[in-house]
């Protein structure tokens, strides 16, 4: 099957160094506007993947993101935001990056080229067939990710991917590929730009829709969020005030007692029955 790296093709722009600042910003913005449209075309693929993730998480499984470089960092970012946003365990959504935690801030030479380390990293987390592993690679050619997904397939573990090239080796390996095809980057080959934005948008959809399906949102509010600072405590207080139609002092007392918006609302209602 034909495979073309559109993410590596020459930029639609040239002589970038001769552009003034306004031209640069407007041109980057013009390219960025195409990204949501590429994601929109991939919505059916995203839906199929999320259905698998929700099913496995309801059975006690976990979601793993794994990638190298920018892709790996984006996976870690999305995973790390799930506990404070939805009040879930840090072990429910896990981000892995080629080269380990050091690679989050520093490039680790040749880490993405390993054909064995990805699976070893998953085994460190006692991966099972209850889990789902989503490989992230703009090019769709990262050996660290592809080899890990091949091992997952052999062990009856559901696999998905986010790649910005059609019919990439990664897409052909994953059981549930997602392919937002964003085309050439503004700076040729700089997949931290449009491809990275597309990957982040897709991961936002994956975890947000999954957590809603798992019951971590009430109405449109983050009732399970961690109250880790004054801003969030204030937000939680306002949620309780609005939901229960009670004054601020009573809402604050409830939140201080139960340390959780959902529990505060639930216990207030239960106490009135």
């Amino acid at each position: 099957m034909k495979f073309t790296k559109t993410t590596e093709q020459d930029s639609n722009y040239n002589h970038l160094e001769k552009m003034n600042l306004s031209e640069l910003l407007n041109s980057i913005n013009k390219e960025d506007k195409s990204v949501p449209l590429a994601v929109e075309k991939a919505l059916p693929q995203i839906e199929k993947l999320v259905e698998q993730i929700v099913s496995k998480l309801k059975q006690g499984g976990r979601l793993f993101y794994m990638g190298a470089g920018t892709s790996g960092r984006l996976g870690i970012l999305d995973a790390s935001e799930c506990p404070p946003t939805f009040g879930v365990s840090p072990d429910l959504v896990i981000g892995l990056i080629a080269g380990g935690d050091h690679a989050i801030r520093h490039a680790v030479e040749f880490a993405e080229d390993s054909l064995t380390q990805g699976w070893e990293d998953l085994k460190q987390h006692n991966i099972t067939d209850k889990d789902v592993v989503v490989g992230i690679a703009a090019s769709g050619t990262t050996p660290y990710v592809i080899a890990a997904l091949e091992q997952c397939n052999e062990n009856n573990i559901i696999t998905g991917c986010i790649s910005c090239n059609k019919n990439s080796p990664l897409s052909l390996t994953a059981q549930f590929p997602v392919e937002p095809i964003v085309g050439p980057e503004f700076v040729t080959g700089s997949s931290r730009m449009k491809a990275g934005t597309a990957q982040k948008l897709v991961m936002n959809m994956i975890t947000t829709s999954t957590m809603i399906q798992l019951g971590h949102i009430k109405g449109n509010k983050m009732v399970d969020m961690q109250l880790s600072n004054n801003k969030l405590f204030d937000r939680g207080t306002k949620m309780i005030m609005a939901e229960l139609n009670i004054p601020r002092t009573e809402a604050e007392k409830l939140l201080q007692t139960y340390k959780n918006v959902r529990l505060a609302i639930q216990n207030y209602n239960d106490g009135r029955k």
Side-chain angles (χ1 to χ4, degrees), residues 154-209:
E154 291 179 10
N155 286 274
N156 298 314
I157 298 166
I158 294 293
T159 57
C161 76
I162 308 171
S163 171
C164 295
N165 286 319
K166 190 73 174 175
N167 296 323
S168 69
L170 178 59
S171 294
L172 297 178
T173 300
Q175 298 162 23
F176 296 91
V178 175
E179 298 174 315
I181 309 303
V182 297
E185 297 287 1
F186 179 70
V187 175
T188 299
S190 181
S191 56
R192 59 179 285 274
M193 302 186 76
K194 290 195 298 181
T197 299
Q199 290 170 333
K200 181 68 172 93
L201 289 175
V202 172
M203 283 185 278
N204 283 348
M205 289 182 172
I206 289 173
T207 47
T208 302
S209 59

Side-chain angles (χ1 to χ4, degrees), residues 126-156:
N126 299 311
I127 188 82
T128 76
D129 60 7
K130 288 184 178 181
D131 302 320
V132 179
V133 179
V134 177
I136 315 166
S139 68
T141 59
T142 307
Y144 169 86
V145 179
I146 295 171
L149 262 60
E150 288 173 343
Q151 287 292 320
C152 289
N153 290 337
E154 291 179 10
N155 286 274
N156 298 314

Side-chain angles (χ1 to χ4, degrees), residues 190-234:
S190 181
S191 56
R192 59 179 285 274
M193 302 186 76
K194 290 195 298 181
T197 299
Q199 290 170 333
K200 181 68 172 93
L201 289 175
V202 172
M203 283 185 278
N204 283 348
M205 289 182 172
I206 289 173
T207 47
T208 302
S209 59
T210 294
M211 295 303 163
I212 293 171
Q213 294 271 297
L214 294 177
H216 291 292
I217 297 295
K218 180 176 173 59
N220 56 19
K221 302 296 193 298
M222 299 182 289
V223 292
D224 289 334
M225 66 181 181
Q226 294 178 355
L227 304 174
S228 56
N229 56 49
N230 290 333
K231 178 191 72 175
L232 295 179
F233 189 88
D234 178 66

Side-chain angles (χ1 to χ4, degrees), residues 6-265:
T6 56
T7 54
E8 301 290 333
Q9 289 181 340
D10 207 41
S11 171
N12 295 321
Y13 304 81
N14 203 351
H15 304 299
L16 306 187
E17 74 282 3
K18 296 181 180 179
M19 289 185 179
N20 62 38
L21 182 55
S22 178
E23 290 171 330
L24 286 170
L25 298 177
N26 277 282
S27 298
I28 293 172
N29 182 243
K30 181 179 178 181
E31 288 297 301
D32 286 345
K33 289 177 182 177
S34 68
V35 176
L37 299 177
V39 173
E40 181 179 14
K41 292 177 181 178
L43 285 176
Q45 296 177 322
I46 299 170
E47 183 174 354
K48 290 178 182 178
L49 176 56
V50 172
E51 286 175 346
Q52 296 296 318
I53 295 169
V54 171
S55 176
K56 288 296 185 180
L57 267 57
K58 283 183 175 179
Q59 297 174 43
R62 299 162 294 174
L63 168 61
F64 287 85
Y65 287 130
M66 61 188 316
T70 297
S71 297
R73 295 181 190 106
L74 288 170
I76 290 171
L77 172 62
D78 194 65
S80 67
E81 290 176 340
C82 287
T85 304
F86 304 108
V88 297
S89 166
D91 296 323
L92 186 65
V93 183
I94 299 169
L96 301 176
I97 185 170
D101 286 352
H102 181 72
I104 296 172
R105 289 184 172 84
H106 305 278
V108 177
E109 290 186 1
F110 304 110
E112 69 174 59
D113 298 321
S114 174
L115 294 173
T116 58
Q117 192 58 51
W119 180 242
E120 290 300 318
D121 289 347
L122 287 169
K123 289 199 296 183
Q124 289 294 315
H125 291 272
N126 299 311
I127 188 82
T128 76
D129 60 7
K130 288 184 178 181
D131 302 320
V132 179
V133 179
V134 177
I136 315 166
S139 68
T141 59
T142 307
Y144 169 86
V145 179
I146 295 171
L149 262 60
E150 288 173 343
Q151 287 292 320
C152 289
N153 290 337
E154 291 179 10
N155 286 274
N156 298 314
I157 298 166
I158 294 293
T159 57
C161 76
I162 308 171
S163 171
C164 295
N165 286 319
K166 190 73 174 175
N167 296 323
S168 69
L170 178 59
S171 294
L172 297 178
T173 300
Q175 298 162 23
F176 296 91
V178 175
E179 298 174 315
I181 309 303
V182 297
E185 297 287 1
F186 179 70
V187 175
T188 299
S190 181
S191 56
R192 59 179 285 274
M193 302 186 76
K194 290 195 298 181
T197 299
Q199 290 170 333
K200 181 68 172 93
L201 289 175
V202 172
M203 283 185 278
N204 283 348
M205 289 182 172
I206 289 173
T207 47
T208 302
S209 59
T210 294
M211 295 303 163
I212 293 171
Q213 294 271 297
L214 294 177
H216 291 292
I217 297 295
K218 180 176 173 59
N220 56 19
K221 302 296 193 298
M222 299 182 289
V223 292
D224 289 334
M225 66 181 181
Q226 294 178 355
L227 304 174
S228 56
N229 56 49
N230 290 333
K231 178 191 72 175
L232 295 179
F233 189 88
D234 178 66
R235 181 185 297 170
T237 300
K238 291 176 180 176
M239 288 183 195
I240 296 169
M241 291 169 63
E243 179 71 19
L244 301 177
N245 194 26
I246 60 176
R248 184 179 185 90
T249 53
E250 190 174 358
E252 287 179 342
K253 184 176 179 180
L254 279 168
L255 197 52
Q256 288 167 349
T257 299
Y258 295 104
K259 313 298 184 186
N260 175 272
V261 175
R262 182 189 297 276
L263 291 177
I265 294 171

